[in-house]
Amino acid sequence: MATKLPGASISSSSHPPSTEKPSCKIKLIATRVSIQSRRISKTSCCIDSDAASAISRSQNKRPLTSINLTGCSKDGAGIRVAYQGISGAYSESAAEKAYPNCETVPCEQFDIAFQAVENWIADRAVLPVENSLGGSIHRNYDLLLRHRLHIVGEVQLSVRHCLLANHGVKLEDLARVLSHPQALAQCEHKLTSLRVVREAVDDTAGAAQFVALHKLKDTAAVASISAAKIYDLNVLAQDIQDDSDNITRFLMLAREPLIPGTDRPFKTSIVFSLDEGPGMLYKALAVFSMRDINLTKIESRPQRKRPILRPVGNSDGLNFDYLFYCDFEASMADHNAQNALKHLKEFATFLRVLGSYPMDINLI
């Protein structure tokens, strides 16, 4: 268990899975967005003066729908981008790659970043969905369905872990290392050679901040080179990950969908559900194959509100009722993609387009 550090859609005639969201109280403190749940009516949302002021400023802008990645400004200036974590997190680096010169908005949790955009505190959110070593980040797939934000782009970021400690601390002084569980797992060989105790915390940048704040002399953090600069820590070792091909894919989210084009490689993300029965998933995937559309990802997740289906045919068991998240290489401006989704809609019990957006072909 992690230690808490201080500090254009298409839908079928069937109703989609429940997307009811709890009411919330939004509080903007310094540079961090924090949302605290409380019992209030389903149709109201209580917002304090700081957040109301931020929302008022944002409402002076027009909705950020555009044919380009950054909306009003090609260099990202003037755009507020929410991400999970604190300054120095890999997610912040992804946000800055997506929107150079943007104003980043750190959020304590993934769902807070979604709500920050929905409530006009931020213009965009940049959140991770999968890592080449650790796999999918299921929490964000669930939140994509629960919230009504649209995917307007993707960012692929090369993750390069560093071992950070306070100045004067040497490798032989270390007794423990703090970091996010995935970061610790990705640096297994190096940390084993050091014979240190590994302690899991909420995020990599938070580990670096904790080590610096408490001036620890026997503890290091696994975090980014950016975190070392921000928290004035010494880099004891660079690129300590076991696999050099450690890449995280992030999605760029906005209140309004991107107008799809055909001027560059595009990707489209959808989520759908199917009736239980032999060959149903095969039929669903065939709508893309018969039109020569390349699928790049498919992820199944049990429906939270209706996880169990009744037995089919002679089956005596119970089956999960699944949602299927799918990415394919085509723009919604492409007639082939439109026809594929029309075909899928004929037998899908639920279908929603999460976004059609330019593919990221640049890795940093």
Side-chain angles (χ1 to χ4, degrees):
M1 178 175 278
T3 301
K4 180 74 173 178
L5 294 180
S9 67
I10 298 177
S11 29
S12 69
S13 57
S14 301
H15 292 293
S18 174
T19 56
E20 180 179 330
K21 301 185 287 291
S23 298
C24 59
K25 178 180 179 183
I26 301 177
K27 193 172 185 182
L28 186 61
I29 305 176
T31 59
R32 172 172 288 199
V33 176
S34 175
I35 298 180
Q36 301 172 341
S37 297
R38 72 176 207 166
R39 293 181 180 175
I40 56 178
S41 70
K42 293 182 180 180
T43 58
S44 66
C45 186
C46 180
I47 304 174
D48 73 8
S49 59
D50 287 341
S53 176
I55 292 172
S56 177
R57 290 194 300 272
S58 294
Q59 285 176 333
N60 291 328
K61 303 175 183 178
R62 297 178 63 186
L64 297 171
T65 303
S66 173
I67 60 171
N68 59 51
L69 286 177
T70 57
C72 299
S73 174
K74 290 185 178 181
D75 66 357
I79 291 179
R80 293 169 57 81
V81 182
Y83 69 93
Q84 188 276 327
I86 65 172
S87 187
Y90 291 106
S91 291
E92 184 180 44
S93 297
E96 291 170 343
K97 178 189 176 184
Y99 300 103
N101 304 313
C102 69
E103 178 186 351
T104 55
V105 182
C107 300
E108 290 181 346
Q109 303 294 336
F110 290 129
D111 59 336
I112 295 175
F114 277 85
Q115 293 177 56
V117 178
E118 288 176 329
N119 289 282
W120 293 76
I121 291 174
D123 304 307
R124 298 285 196 276
V126 173
L127 298 169
V129 287
E130 60 182 330
N131 176 264
S132 58
L133 302 181
S136 296
I137 295 148
H138 297 126
R139 174 64 176 163
N140 282 335
Y141 277 100
D142 292 339
L143 290 172
L144 280 172
L145 186 61
R146 185 179 305 174
H147 295 269
R148 299 299 298 186
L149 297 185
H150 303 270
I151 305 172
V152 296
E154 66 174 3
V155 174
Q156 298 191 73
L157 188 75
S158 181
V159 177
R160 303 178 63 182
H161 293 308
C162 299
L163 189 65
L164 312 179
N166 284 296
H167 293 280
V169 176
K170 300 178 181 179
L171 284 174
E172 54 266 30
D173 299 327
L174 298 180
R176 65 172 178 158
V177 172
L178 311 179
S179 196
H180 187 275
Q182 278 198 6
L184 294 174
Q186 291 166 7
C187 302
E188 173 74 23
H189 294 161
K190 178 65 175 180
L191 298 181
T192 298
S193 69
L194 293 175
R195 298 183 179 181
V196 291
V197 174
R198 282 160 267 188
E199 187 172 333
V201 297
D202 289 340
D203 57 81
T204 57
Q209 182 190 57
F210 186 83
V211 169
L213 181 65
H214 294 277
K215 303 185 185 301
L216 302 175
K217 297 299 182 183
D218 64 346
T219 304
V222 174
S224 67
I225 192 72
S226 296
K229 296 174 183 177
I230 292 169
Y231 302 111
D232 190 28
L233 292 173
N234 185 37
V235 180
L236 296 178
Q238 294 189 49
D239 293 329
I240 64 171
Q241 62 274 1
D242 297 341
D243 194 324
S244 58
D245 295 325
N246 184 4
I247 300 166
T248 298
R249 177 175 173 242
F250 295 80
L251 295 180
M252 300 145 65
L253 307 173
R255 290 181 292 275
E256 300 291 333
L258 192 74
I259 300 173
T262 56
D263 58 327
R264 67 186 93 174
F266 261 70
K267 184 181 289 185
T268 299
S269 296
I270 63 173
V271 56
F272 61 91
S273 59
L274 302 166
D275 280 329
E276 179 70 10
M280 290 302 295
L281 182 57
Y282 175 83
K283 284 179 61 178
L285 300 184
V287 306
F288 302 102
S289 176
M290 67 177 58
R291 294 173 177 86
D292 294 322
I293 296 174
N294 184 41
L295 293 176
T296 60
K297 180 179 176 66
I298 183 166
E299 176 89 12
S300 61
R301 298 283 292 148
Q303 291 202 36
R304 289 195 169 197
K305 298 298 182 181
R306 193 165 63 97
I308 301 295
L309 285 175
R310 287 175 295 181
V312 175
N314 297 322
S315 173
D316 294 325
L318 294 175
N319 299 310
F320 280 116
D321 187 11
Y322 285 100
L323 290 166
F324 299 95
Y325 291 83
C326 182
D327 296 340
F328 58 88
E329 292 181 343
S331 168
M332 281 302 295
D334 186 334
H335 290 298
N336 268 350
Q338 295 174 17
N339 290 334
L341 294 192
K342 286 178 183 177
H343 191 175
L344 178 59
K345 187 182 176 183
E346 291 176 5
F347 50 88
T349 57
F350 165 66
L351 172 61
R352 176 176 155 194
V353 175
L354 299 171
S356 189
Y357 48 93
M359 296 171 57
D360 182 17
I361 58 176
N362 299 311
L363 181 63
I364 63 169

